Amino acid sequence: MEQLWQDFLSRPGVYLGAICTLALMSLIYRENAVYRFFEHIFIGLAAGFSIVALVKNILDPFLYQPVFQKGEWYWTFVFMFGLLFYFIHSRKYNWLSRLPIGFLMGFSAGQTFQIFANTYLPQLSDSFRPLYVTTPDGAVDIAKGINNFIFMLVLVSVMSYFFFSFEQKSRAIRSSAQFGRWVMMVAFGAIFGTTIMARMALLFDRMYYIFGDWLRLVR
Amino acid sequence: MLEPIRQFFAPKPLDVVAYYVVGAVVFSILVIILLLNLPARLRKPLIALVTFGAGLFYVTEFFWPIDKNTNKNFLTDYLVSASKLGSLLAGMTLTLGILSLLRVHGRNIVRLRSGWYNSLALLTAMVAMVVFGLMDKYSDNATAKKVFNVLFEGMLINMDATMFSLIAFYIVSASYRAFRIRSIEATILMTAAFLVMLAQVPVGLALTSWIPRDGVWDSLRLEVVKEWLLTVLNAAALRAIAFGLGIGGLAISLRIWLSLERGAYFEKEI
Amino acid sequence: MQESFWQKLQFIDRRILYALLLIVIIAPLFLPIRLPTVTMPSTQRLYDAIESIPPDGFIIISSTWSGGTRAENMPQTIAILRHAMQRRLRVAVFSFDVQGTQLSLDIAKRLAQEYGYEYGKDWVHWGFRPQAEVVMKSLVRDIPGTFDKDYDGKPTKDMPVMRGIRDIDDVDAIVEIAASGIHLSWIGLVVGVNPELKFGFCPTSVMVPETYPYLASGQIVGTMEGMRGAAEYESLLRKPGLASVGMGSISLAHVLVMLLIVIGNIGYFASRRRRS
Amino acid sequence: MQHAFEKIWPVLIVEVLTAVIIIWRILSAQRGKELFIRRIPGLNAIDEAIGRATEMGRPVLMVPGIGGFGIIALQALSIFSYIARSTAKFGNRILMPVADATVYTVAEEVIRDAYQAEGHPERFDPDSIRFLSDRQFAFASGVAGLIQREKIASSFMFGEFFAESLIFAETGNMVGAIQVAGTTQTTQIPFFIAACDYTIIGDEYYAASAYISRNPTMLGSIVGQDFGKLLIVGLCLVGSVAATVAALDVPLLSTAGELFMQLFRIREPGG
């Protein structure tokens, strides 16, 4: 017992970490009092950490330091503007909170043009796939050509599935959309299959934490 | 014309900055009082104007011609400030979220509702994290740093990892239940997942590792099939989905920016 | 009665599934199992690339990962460091991640002891470096200037390990071990500058598909694909370690999932035949 | 690409043209034109799921994802406001755990408005909308606990979901809830498909509020979006032909193909 206590004192983080791990893991059997207790601690710690992060990463460097260390006093207006959020609980002046909310909406919406251009335009030009491909030494690369053809076929048929307003009367569009849906299922299956590996690695890591780091039963 | 304004908003020496801050607060309060008395019919246009103005900054910054040498236009230098402004505003709502936690759990404790001790644990953990987290950053107390380390590295990080690892269990039960040869779609989903799973582990790879590389049948090796699935089929399908999402996002952004959006929040009389 | 057994196969209680999963994950920790290893070409290429570096060559290992991906990235880091030290290369480690700095430092110290590597002479740890792209841009032109201090704040200028290293042309290989898509920045900013430079990348398994195009183009010389890649590398080094154990667990887990899918479908068919 | 003028033509042809078409369709739809939108099965299931919760007398869960405040969260709230109008009518209990404080702030107002619009403001319980945590897995642990404790009857998950998607969907499945989900994070769709009853895919998500509300403005936008997608399909096809003729070494045509590709070529990130 004495030895256990000494061991605990020498590495309390590992002990508490292991207890937290076991408590949360009990959820897979069923929701229980221990899980519930640790779930609340988890949320509490996370909320506390968010507050710390707010002070450390936002209020301090973006408000306190600029205003009181660099003299950029105009940030005060931003703070006052932000206070309007708190009118949300007022029955009569509730609408004032819509000003900062609207501002944030506009901010988020306004960035879409750049994000769209950055994300999708390179993908668009990359989709211009030649169906006739030659290797650097001049021979015809049939496999690459076929792959490019399949690429274009999949791209167009999946996109045809996402047309909402054209009534899918024509058989060509209907079967293209159906084919598109099937190909999407292949893609989703493949994503599912590749993800298993990463998740199992996480579980293995947890077990190694319990049996290796904590109990020291494994090397 | 612009110069006095720029002068006025320029950083101020530290000994007078407090006066400017107080002035800004007083001015803001006056504006808020004015706003409180704004006629109802002007409220929506004002909100639309604020939304439009906020968006206009980024739109103009993006579309305004640039100086080829510096790759900048007259707004580019303000991007950093804008993103700080956005984080500051969004950060200020955290208090509202924390108030929600305090309200729900404080009430549980005060009324001794069943499970009140859980709520107490939550609030205690929160306070402890705030105290030791701030001390870790702003003081040199060695014990505080140690306690923070136990709370953060010992507990919080391990709890994150544990919840994350639970997905391993759920992925097993989900695939057992969902991957049945029930319909064409379910069968396709299952087959693709099965093939990729085989190609992920040595046991599966060993099944086709006898096929000679560089031979005609090379493309039947599991890892080659997997790579083909992921680079040709998957890439094309995901890209098609992404194009749709991109256009959809663009449309909603336009609707919100120009206050054309409809629906509960946007149609309510205020 | 026989029929109902087959039908039951499609409604196995989830707790039984979870117990089975726990068993297959834990068992290999205690009973190492030998599974066939197939070395992927990408792993072999990375191994060969490190093999081809002349003795006393200079390798930079960037360890951009944190506790969340420890299971995959730690064995990769160990494997690549082990290989470099086996070959007596000069090793420089650093990280774009705070946690990754400490983790890679611990690993490197342990292995340095094992291989008799002397700090400052045979290896160095440059510590945490925020702002990846800035660092990359600057290390291309000036390595001693970019990494003027080590993790401890000691100046690196006079460390023998850095002798003759001025810019990217003096580096033989860079290996990035990461949980993110940081390889794009390396490829964009560093890799093309010195055509002789070998750039290896060790991603987590979910990131693997994103590396294929760059492997094909040769911009990435080779990869370790998650934990499986690390296990393959361990077997190339003939030093089975954590990844080999882990791959035992993970392979069994995959087999379990596939078996369960088959069993579920047997049950499904049994009940469908009964109904019709 | 930081500015439009670094590569102005593709920006104008694709982005600006699409934007103009969308606005034009919206404005013409507002002048009253019957518009068609194809069936989205997952969204038809919403009423069924609420109905079942009413029968069972158990709560309805709504999760707006873990993303921050922006267009995706707003779209989720539009869908939830429709659901809330139904629950207000039938008097179901609702639960809405939120992972972002700004989203939480707006969500409370949206749901309150929905109850008011249905004429049952007294049925709205402010505690039904809760900020849990902005930390991914702390939020996940809270929601998983909530689902099991409250034995929810139906679960709606719309918004930005990452790895935690399967935690929600499987725990929901465990308590036998009817589940409808949709997310813009395509890598999570497979897990929703595996564990939910109905999953909406890709930009069905952005069509959802138009589909549910049948509001002419939004339907007009959907038509405009379709034109945008048509434009992209067209460009891809032309581009593929251009790339092919460029490779074939036909005089003149090859040059034209090369020029077309040049027009759109953008340096790949890191390329």
Side-chain angles (χ1 to χ4, degrees):
Chain A
M1 207 53 212
E2 176 62 27
Q3 213 179 347
L4 189 69
W5 180 243
Q6 284 306 323
D7 193 32
F8 172 77
L9 288 183
S10 72
R11 44 191 194 125
V14 178
Y15 269 79
L16 284 171
I19 293 167
C20 291
T21 302
L22 292 175
L24 289 186
M25 213 161 246
S26 72
L27 179 71
I28 54 159
Y29 183 69
R30 71 147 82 99
E31 206 271 343
N32 59 73
V34 178
Y35 173 81
R36 204 173 304 170
F37 186 71
F38 277 85
E39 170 206 322
H40 281 80
I41 290 185
F42 192 6
I43 292 175
L45 288 175
F49 192 74
S50 299
I51 297 173
V52 174
L54 174 70
V55 174
K56 222 162 64 170
N57 304 335
I58 293 182
L59 291 183
D60 186 11
F62 299 164
L63 187 67
Y64 179 79
Q65 286 179 19
V67 173
F68 293 104
Q69 290 178 1
K70 293 186 209 138
E72 297 170 3
W73 62 281
Y74 42 84
W75 288 101
T76 317
F77 289 115
V78 180
F79 179 75
M80 296 304 289
F81 186 49
L83 287 183
L84 293 181
F85 277 122
Y86 298 87
F87 278 95
I88 197 146
H89 293 301
S90 146
R91 191 156 293 207
K92 199 168 161 205
Y93 299 114
N94 169 298
W95 73 275
L96 275 177
S97 68
R98 285 176 179 241
L99 288 171
I101 290 173
F103 187 90
L104 283 183
M105 281 188 204
F107 243 39
S108 149
Q111 292 175 49
T112 306
F113 283 98
Q114 195 202 336
I115 293 171
F116 184 95
N118 264 328
T119 320
Y120 301 107
L121 294 183
Q123 296 199 27
L124 180 68
S125 58
D126 181 66
S127 304
F128 298 169
R129 300 281 172 99
L131 304 182
Y132 173 84
V133 191
T134 49
T135 53
D137 47 25
V140 183
D141 191 339
I142 297 176
K144 191 102 194 266
I146 294 176
N147 274 346
N148 282 350
F149 175 73
I150 294 174
F151 186 95
M152 297 307 295
L153 185 74
V154 169
L155 187 77
V156 172
S157 58
V158 171
M159 285 198 76
S160 72
Y161 171 80
F162 289 106
F163 286 125
F164 296 107
S165 62
F166 309 139
E167 234 167 321
Q168 296 181 346
K169 268 186 192 150
S170 113
R171 246 187 87 177
I173 295 188
R174 241 184 305 142
S175 39
S176 159
Q178 178 66 65
F179 177 72
R181 213 180 139 85
W182 286 342
V183 183
M184 278 196 280
M185 291 303 145
V186 178
F188 294 150
I191 294 176
F192 198 107
T194 44
T195 315
I196 295 182
M197 179 100 169
R199 304 295 178 258
M200 292 304 163
L202 289 167
L203 184 58
F204 173 76
D205 177 68
R206 283 294 90 194
M207 291 301 123
Y208 185 74
Y209 183 77
I210 298 279
F211 293 103
D213 292 349
W214 180 42
L215 298 176
R216 292 177 170 159
L217 292 175
V218 191
R219 284 178 310 129
Chain B
M1 173 57 192
L2 274 173
E3 198 45 34
I5 301 180
R6 188 169 300 159
Q7 277 298 318
F8 181 66
F9 280 101
K12 294 287 170 286
L14 292 184
D15 47 337
V16 294
V17 78
Y19 299 112
Y20 278 88
V21 169
V22 172
V25 170
V26 173
F27 177 79
S28 305
I29 292 174
L30 287 177
V31 172
I32 293 174
I33 292 174
L34 264 177
L35 284 176
L36 292 177
N37 296 302
L38 195 76
R41 71 194 155 79
L42 291 181
R43 289 171 185 174
K44 272 207 169 166
L46 178 66
I47 295 164
L49 189 72
V50 167
T51 310
F52 181 76
L56 191 63
F57 169 78
Y58 279 108
V59 175
T60 313
E61 200 282 326
F62 180 63
F63 282 106
W64 201 266
I66 42 170
D67 180 341
K68 281 271 181 267
N69 298 319
T70 54
N71 224 358
K72 281 177 180 177
N73 58 38
F74 73 106
L75 285 174
T76 309
D77 284 331
Y78 296 98
L79 278 179
V80 178
S81 297
S83 93
K84 283 182 189 171
L85 195 159
S87 328
L88 188 53
L89 269 186
M92 286 184 69
T93 57
L94 180 70
T95 336
L96 287 165
I98 300 295
L99 282 175
S100 157
L101 279 177
L102 289 176
R103 191 180 67 208
V104 171
H105 294 282
R107 206 179 296 157
N108 283 350
I109 298 170
V110 172
R111 300 193 185 156
L112 288 180
R113 284 199 192 140
S114 73
W116 60 271
Y117 43 87
N118 289 326
S119 297
L120 187 65
L122 188 151
L123 296 185
T124 315
M126 182 163 98
V127 172
M129 189 54 123
V130 171
V131 171
F132 292 109
L134 291 178
M135 281 175 83
D136 174 69
K137 165 87 179 172
Y138 297 102
S139 90
D140 289 324
N141 188 318
T143 323
K145 283 188 196 305
K146 233 178 248 171
V147 176
F148 173 71
N149 196 44
V150 169
L151 290 179
F152 183 68
E153 299 259 336
M155 295 178 76
L156 194 56
I157 295 285
N158 276 308
M159 285 169 132
D160 275 340
T162 306
M163 274 322 280
F164 202 173
S165 76
L166 290 191
I167 301 172
F169 294 99
Y170 295 142
I171 221 167
V172 171
S173 50
S175 46
Y176 165 70
R177 203 185 51 244
F179 291 158
R180 301 271 162 89
I181 309 185
R182 216 175 268 137
S183 60
I184 300 176
E185 283 186 11
T187 312
I188 297 175
L189 195 70
M190 185 194 83
T191 316
F194 209 95
L195 271 178
V196 173
M197 263 185 254
L198 271 180
Q200 285 285 56
V201 287
V203 199
L205 289 171
L207 287 178
T208 57
S209 59
W210 51 271
I211 301 177
R213 272 192 236 281
D214 309 322
V216 193
W217 301 106
D218 165 72
S219 42
L220 286 180
R221 286 172 72 108
L222 269 169
E223 71 267 23
V224 181
V225 173
K226 178 186 110 181
E227 186 177 329
W228 184 83
L229 269 180
L230 292 175
T231 48
V232 179
L233 223 58
N234 240 22
L238 294 186
R239 183 168 295 175
I241 298 173
F243 280 144
L245 283 170
I247 302 266
L250 187 67
I252 296 213
S253 296
L254 280 170
R255 270 149 45 191
I256 288 173
W257 182 44
L258 303 173
S259 291
L260 289 167
E261 183 67 333
R262 294 290 171 270
Y265 181 76
F266 299 93
E267 273 172 299
K268 195 191 149 199
E269 289 296 317
I270 52 173
Chain C
M1 271 336 272
Q2 187 75 11
E3 279 281 295
S4 88
F5 166 77
W6 292 110
Q7 281 176 298
K8 269 188 202 152
L9 288 182
Q10 60 171 330
F11 303 114
I12 303 176
D13 187 88
R14 64 174 68 237
R15 281 163 208 164
I16 298 176
L17 308 182
Y18 295 162
L20 288 174
L21 178 63
L22 269 181
I23 292 170
V24 299
I25 294 280
I26 296 173
L29 276 174
F30 297 97
L31 313 160
I33 48 162
R34 256 174 218 294
L35 291 168
T37 321
V38 183
T39 307
M40 287 296 109
S42 60
T43 317
Q44 186 71 50
R45 279 170 57 185
L46 180 61
Y47 181 85
D48 293 344
I50 304 291
E51 278 291 301
S52 72
I53 300 174
D56 203 40
F58 193 78
I59 178 172
I60 298 177
I61 295 170
S62 161
S63 149
T64 313
W65 50 282
S66 59
T69 54
R70 184 175 72 149
E72 297 197 82
N73 291 138
M74 186 164 80
Q76 290 170 340
T77 313
I78 295 175
I80 205 75
L81 269 169
R82 205 179 265 290
H83 195 188
M85 291 184 176
Q86 267 184 7
R87 302 234 30 253
R88 308 299 305 173
L89 306 177
R90 285 180 287 157
V91 180
V93 188
F94 77 104
S95 176
F96 294 121
D97 184 288
V98 184
Q99 256 191 317
T101 309
Q102 190 57 44
L103 289 160
S104 59
L105 183 64
D106 294 345
I107 294 169
K109 273 184 179 163
R110 204 180 66 212
L111 287 174
Q113 208 164 22
E114 192 179 326
Y115 287 95
Y117 257 53
E118 194 182 317
Y119 187 80
K121 179 170 157 279
D122 304 313
W123 74 287
V124 61
H125 196 299
W126 289 329
F128 169 59
R129 301 282 153 173
Q131 294 191 298
E133 305 219 329
V134 178
V135 172
M136 289 177 195
K137 272 185 206 158
S138 116
L139 76 79
V140 167
R141 270 173 281 124
D142 179 9
I143 290 177
T146 311
F147 301 105
D148 52 344
K149 294 201 174 81
D150 75 350
Y151 72 96
D152 210 18
K154 285 199 282 284
T156 56
K157 193 162 50 102
D158 301 321
M159 288 186 181
V161 61
M162 306 272 284
R163 69 192 172 274
I165 305 297
R166 292 177 313 269
D167 54 29
I168 195 69
D169 288 334
D170 303 316
V171 179
D172 293 286
I174 295 177
V175 179
E176 170 70 51
I177 299 137
S180 66
I182 197 166
H183 61 293
L184 293 177
S185 308
W186 281 112
I187 290 170
L189 298 170
V190 180
V191 173
V193 184
N194 169 7
E196 300 291 307
L197 177 81
K198 300 174 175 75
F199 176 64
F201 185 50
C202 305
T204 52
S205 58
V206 280
M207 288 289 306
V208 168
E210 290 178 42
T211 64
Y212 291 146
Y214 303 98
L215 262 172
S217 66
Q219 285 162 298
I220 296 178
V221 70
T223 57
M224 275 189 233
E225 301 187 345
M227 193 192 258
R228 179 167 48 74
E232 289 165 18
Y233 213 92
E234 283 174 0
S235 76
L236 286 173
L237 292 170
R238 294 181 214 297
K239 271 276 185 187
L242 190 59
S244 303
V245 177
M247 263 334 273
S249 297
I250 289 170
S251 302
L252 284 182
H254 276 76
V255 173
L256 175 72
V257 173
M258 290 187 274
L259 267 180
L260 287 173
I261 293 174
V262 172
I263 290 175
N265 277 296
I266 293 174
Y268 178 68
F269 266 106
S271 65
R272 221 172 54 164
R273 231 181 39 198
R274 188 137 196 232
R275 240 180 286 141
S276 61
Chain D
M1 187 153 87
Q2 238 193 322
H3 296 99
F5 272 90
E6 287 166 39
K7 196 72 193 176
I8 189 67
W9 285 109
V11 173
L12 283 180
I13 296 172
V14 183
E15 199 170 3
V16 177
L17 186 59
T18 306
V20 170
I21 294 173
I22 290 171
I23 295 172
W24 168 53
R25 294 314 315 180
I26 289 178
L27 295 179
S28 67
Q30 282 181 337
R31 283 198 296 271
K33 194 174 161 224
E34 271 307 293
L35 291 170
F36 168 85
I37 181 167
R38 79 156 161 80
R39 232 173 75 83
I40 301 176
L43 296 173
N44 292 352
I46 288 180
D47 291 321
E48 175 198 340
I50 298 173
R52 212 174 74 119
T54 318
E55 273 167 38
M56 298 172 77
R58 291 190 342 213
V60 172
L61 176 80
M62 295 179 257
V63 190
I66 64 163
F69 181 72
I71 53 172
I72 300 168
L74 277 167
Q75 175 71 356
L77 293 181
S78 293
I79 303 171
F80 291 152
S81 115
Y82 169 80
I83 295 174
R85 288 177 79 138
S86 290
T87 58
K89 214 179 332 181
F90 298 115
N92 306 72
R93 247 188 87 208
I94 57 167
L95 291 167
M96 184 159 161
V98 188
D100 177 273
T102 317
V103 177
Y104 162 76
T105 312
V106 180
E108 195 180 301
E109 182 156 349
V110 168
I111 303 299
R112 191 195 301 272
D113 290 350
Y115 274 76
Q116 215 143 35
E118 280 300 312
H120 295 291
E122 78 289 350
R123 288 186 182 165
F124 175 70
D125 170 15
D127 280 357
S128 60
I129 297 162
R130 288 180 209 172
F131 172 78
L132 278 186
S133 178
D134 51 8
R135 199 176 176 85
Q136 184 180 15
F137 288 106
F139 181 67
S141 82
V143 175
L146 203 66
I147 289 175
Q148 295 217 351
R149 282 194 288 280
E150 303 277 357
K151 297 267 177 297
I152 55 158
S154 36
S155 157
F156 299 100
M157 291 165 278
F158 291 101
E160 254 181 304
F161 289 85
F162 298 87
E164 74 289 349
S165 63
L166 191 63
I167 298 182
F168 302 160
E170 269 297 290
T171 24
N173 189 288
M174 239 181 258
V175 299
I178 290 199
Q179 312 197 85
V180 188
T183 177
T184 50
Q185 289 296 324
T186 309
T187 45
Q188 297 309 319
I189 296 279
F191 305 103
F192 278 145
I193 290 183
C196 295
D197 302 85
Y198 299 94
T199 306
I200 62 171
I201 302 172
D203 71 328
E204 288 179 337
Y205 180 77
Y206 286 128
S209 59
Y211 184 81
I212 293 173
S213 68
R214 303 274 156 179
N215 179 301
T217 304
M218 316 254 256
L219 287 176
S221 166
I222 298 288
V223 177
Q225 283 160 246
D226 272 4
F227 277 109
K229 281 176 268 183
L230 202 59
L231 180 72
I232 285 187
V233 170
L235 283 174
C236 285
L237 290 177
V238 175
S240 178
V241 171
T244 310
V245 293
L248 274 175
D249 236 1
V250 192
L252 233 62
L253 267 181
S254 292
T255 325
E258 192 51 56
L259 276 176
F260 181 84
M261 302 219 309
Q262 202 60 50
L263 190 62
F264 284 89
R265 189 167 297 142
I266 292 167
R267 206 166 51 91
E268 285 279 317

